[in-house]
Every structure is written in C-alpha cells, then in structure tokens.
Amino acid sequence: MNNNTYVVIMAGGIGSRFWPFSRTNYPKQFHDVLGIGETMLQMTMKRFEQICPTENIFIVTNKDYQQLVKEQLPQLSDNQILLEPVGRNTAPCIAYASYKIAQINPNANLVVAPSDHVVLKQEAFNQVINTAIEAAAADNVLITLGITPSRPDTGYGYIQFIADGDQPIKKVKTFTEKPNLELAQMFLNSGDFVWNSGIFIWNVQSILGAFRQHLSEVSEIFEEGSAKYNTAEESNFIVKAYSHCRNISIDYGIMEKVDNVYVVLSDIGWSDLGTWNSLYTISDKDEQANVIDGDVMLYDTKNCIIKTPKDRLVVLQGLEGYIIAEHDNVLMICKLEEEQKVKDFTADAKYKKGQNYI
C-alpha cells in the first residue's frame, strides 16, 4: 500500500429511486441492500481497505448521518468523517475533501467514489485502481473508470474515448449524459463508448488546479479555510462555506471542460445500484426469476423483485414483472418496467401525505 493514496467516499445522497426502502433519514447506503449482512457503506469501506490504509479513508456525508456513519464504521476517527451542512452535489463535496486532505499530505493521490456502488470483481478492481493511481501520480491528469457496457442502458452517462492501441488508459473525447434508447444503442454498437462509473482518480494538486481554472468561485470559497482544516475551527468554517456554494456536479463543472481527462477501461462487475431494476439485474434469482429478500410465499409469480420485512409473512399470487417493496410505514407495488415512476411516487407522497413517508 502507498501512504500517498487517499480515498474519499461520498455518502450524502438520499437514493430516492430506491423508495420506500431508501428514506431521507436512512438512505440506501446505510442499508443492507443485498441482504448479505453488510450495508453498502460497509461494503465500500471494505473494498477500499485493500487500496490504502484505513486512516487514509475519508467519508463525506450530510451532518444528519454522522451517527449512522460512526455506528457502521467505528474504525474511523471523527476527523475522517466530513460533515456537509447541506447537499450541494459532487463538486463542493470533492472540493471540501481535496482541500482538507491537501493540508494533511500535499502529495496525496485521491480516489473518489460513491458509497452505494457494487463491485463484484475485487481483484480486477484493485488492479484498475492501482493502474489509475500510478498514472495520476506521474502526470497532471484527471482519470475516471469507464465500464464496458453490456446493454444500451439509458440510465447511465457515457464516455467516448479515443481508441489508440491496447493501453487500458484512453484519452476522453466526449461525455454524454443519459441518452435516449436509440442513441444508447448506437453507443453500444460503436465500441468506443463506456459507462461513466462516477469513480475518479487524480493527484490532489491536479484537481485543485482544475478547480482554480474551471470552478474558481468554488476554489476561492474552500481556499479561505486552508488554516482551519483538521482543526477545531473546521466545522464552523464549512457551514459558512457551503452557504456560498452553488449546486454543481464535478462532471459538469470540471470533467466535461478540461482537456486532460482520461478513462481506464474496466471490467470489474460494477453496478451503481441506483434503481430497483439494477438491484434485480445483479441479484440471485429463484427458478422463476424472482429476487426475494423477506419471508415470502409465492404462487404463479415470476420476474419479480420482493424486498419486505423479515418479521412479516408476505403471500403473492399471479404477479409477473413487479417490484414489491415494504419498509417502515410504506408498501409499494409497481411494475418493474415502469420503475421510473418511483420518483413521482415519492414526490406525491411528500406533497399529499407529508415528510414522514419519504
């Protein structure tokens, strides 16, 4: 392990597409989504403990989730849990972590990753990350992992790369956000597009330079705290800093604008686990292609995903292609092929029934 390698795990999102399982006060990264005895956050932490020392791993989360992080990752010190007073998307989140870590180690190489992704091929993941870290340490480059697409998925962003030889690291040509089905199929057929994983690797000085050049208002906000990071004054400074930050993603703010972006082609068994369909796709299924997590009796039911409390017997008959999800005070039954309506359900539940249901 290289002591200059640091990992930033982003764990502040709500995961609204996983409603009613993922809720504002208890988002999906803190749940055992796969039913294996570990939460998504714990799985991500374990994954990166093979990449760098535990003391070099930092979690960025909302202040409301501080206790959840401490309970699930007791090996972390308070200084390794970065608390955002309000969500401002990924650019301020990454800026905060980058400026803080730069004060600890100005030579740090950073891996930035979401807390709610699945990686099924750990050894391949280790190899890809180490390849990217070596490249980032040697040159002023910003690197992302690109996932070889297996289908024309319209829920992912796509990266077009320049195909020049057999090297795993390719220069990025274009970014495209969530295309329609026809365009996604064209991308798949072309052979020079990959899914954007949202996992980034760079040297801390490279990303700080990119912030100064392309998001100068963000860099100015966080540079003001240079003397306060890793001190008792950090928390108060961050509350003030975030009050001045606009909501902007790292992709839009930096990655789509710079000319030193590269992608590492990756086959790591990855899923962003952003939807019920993505969970269904990667999960083990019974002989009728059902995914079951709960105490369930099924009759003439197939191609369903069922996630219900283990202390409640659920009996289903005559269903095909449905999501049946119950958590806390909400039961949702929705066609799997129409899962995009989940966001509408959450919005309606909040408006018509109140905050207690989201």
Side-chain angles (χ1 to χ4, degrees):
M1 287 187 184
N2 189 327
N3 286 331
N4 283 342
T5 298
Y6 289 73
V7 170
V8 177
I9 299 173
M10 299 179 289
I14 295 174
S16 59
R17 289 182 294 173
F18 250 115
W19 186 81
F21 192 64
S22 186
R23 309 289 275 273
T24 302
N25 64 345
Y26 210 99
K28 67 173 179 178
Q29 60 267 28
F30 302 110
H31 286 275
D32 177 11
V33 173
L34 298 179
I36 60 172
E38 286 184 323
T39 68
M40 300 299 297
L41 178 61
Q42 289 170 328
M43 287 175 60
T44 305
M45 182 72 185
K46 181 181 290 186
R47 183 181 311 137
F48 282 110
E49 284 179 324
Q50 299 190 30
I51 300 296
C52 73
T54 298
E55 58 267 25
N56 288 11
I57 300 177
F58 291 76
I59 312 295
V60 188
T61 192
N62 187 281
K63 61 179 176 51
D64 293 339
Y65 307 144
Q66 179 182 21
Q67 195 56 37
L68 284 171
V69 174
K70 293 180 73 167
E71 289 171 1
Q72 295 191 5
L73 302 177
Q75 66 269 47
L76 297 184
S77 69
D78 286 348
N79 195 49
Q80 290 171 269
I81 304 173
L82 285 60
L83 301 177
E84 295 183 296
V86 62
R88 286 288 183 261
N89 215 316
T90 52
C93 164
I94 290 170
Y96 175 17
S98 299
Y99 277 97
K100 178 181 175 73
I101 292 171
Q103 292 298 315
I104 299 171
N105 183 346
N107 299 314
N109 301 306
L110 305 185
V111 182
V112 180
S115 60
D116 54 359
H117 289 187
V118 171
V119 172
L120 300 177
K121 301 178 182 179
Q122 180 72 46
E123 289 303 318
F125 177 77
N126 293 352
Q127 183 175 351
V128 163
I129 291 293
N130 287 327
T131 296
I133 290 171
E134 288 179 15
D139 203 355
N140 178 26
V141 292
L142 306 182
I143 299 172
T144 185
L145 299 192
I147 308 301
T148 304
S150 58
R151 60 188 182 277
D153 200 304
T154 59
Y156 295 144
Y158 285 72
I159 300 170
Q160 185 182 24
F161 59 88
I162 298 173
D164 54 352
D166 297 328
Q167 294 300 316
I169 302 180
K170 310 286 188 183
K171 192 166 185 9
V172 169
K173 188 175 182 180
T174 61
F175 286 87
T176 303
E177 275 302 308
K178 297 179 180 177
N180 60 36
L181 185 60
E182 183 180 2
L183 195 55
Q185 186 63 60
M186 289 174 58
F187 290 169
L188 189 67
N189 295 340
S190 73
D192 59 354
F193 281 83
V194 288
W195 289 333
N196 185 354
S197 70
I199 300 172
F200 306 104
I201 303 94
W202 42 55
N203 181 270
V204 70
Q205 300 304 329
S206 297
I207 191 60
L208 293 185
F211 270 107
R212 294 184 188 108
Q213 184 175 356
H214 297 283
L215 281 178
S216 58
E217 75 277 16
V218 174
S219 69
E220 288 169 6
I221 289 169
F222 287 97
E223 278 180 0
E224 286 185 13
S226 294
K228 298 176 181 178
Y229 296 115
N230 307 296
T231 74
E233 298 179 70
E234 178 178 325
S235 179
N236 288 337
F237 166 74
I238 288 301
V239 171
K240 177 183 175 184
Y242 269 73
S243 70
H244 298 296
C245 280
R246 62 181 169 126
N247 188 306
I248 186 168
S249 72
I250 196 72
D251 294 275
Y252 181 76
I254 290 180
M255 300 299 282
E256 296 177 15
K257 296 177 179 178
V258 297
D259 59 5
N260 61 334
V261 181
Y262 289 77
V263 60
V264 181
L265 307 189
S266 309
D267 179 10
I268 55 177
W270 173 90
S271 172
D272 76 341
L273 218 59
T275 64
W276 286 105
N277 206 356
S278 62
L279 178 58
Y280 176 81
T281 299
I282 70 162
S283 298
D284 293 334
K285 301 169 183 66
D286 68 10
E287 60 275 10
Q288 298 300 317
N290 295 302
V291 174
I292 303 168
D293 184 3
D295 188 3
V296 180
M297 294 171 59
L298 300 181
Y299 302 88
D300 305 317
T301 294
K302 58 185 178 180
N303 305 320
C304 291
I305 179 166
I306 304 130
K307 195 168 183 66
T308 55
K310 292 182 170 53
D311 61 354
R312 183 191 299 277
L313 176 63
V314 175
V315 182
L316 301 173
Q317 189 275 330
L319 295 183
E320 180 176 358
Y322 274 84
I323 305 163
I324 301 94
E326 181 182 3
H327 183 71
D328 197 8
N329 55 357
V330 177
L331 167 66
M332 183 190 74
I333 301 171
C334 172
K335 288 184 178 179
L336 192 54
E337 65 182 20
E338 296 185 28
E339 67 167 355
Q340 70 276 6
K341 293 183 177 179
V342 171
K343 282 206 167 187
D344 297 333
F345 300 159
T346 59
D348 288 347
K350 180 179 180 181
Y351 177 70
K352 297 177 180 179
K353 299 296 181 179
Q355 191 75 26
N356 287 340
Y357 292 94
I358 64 160

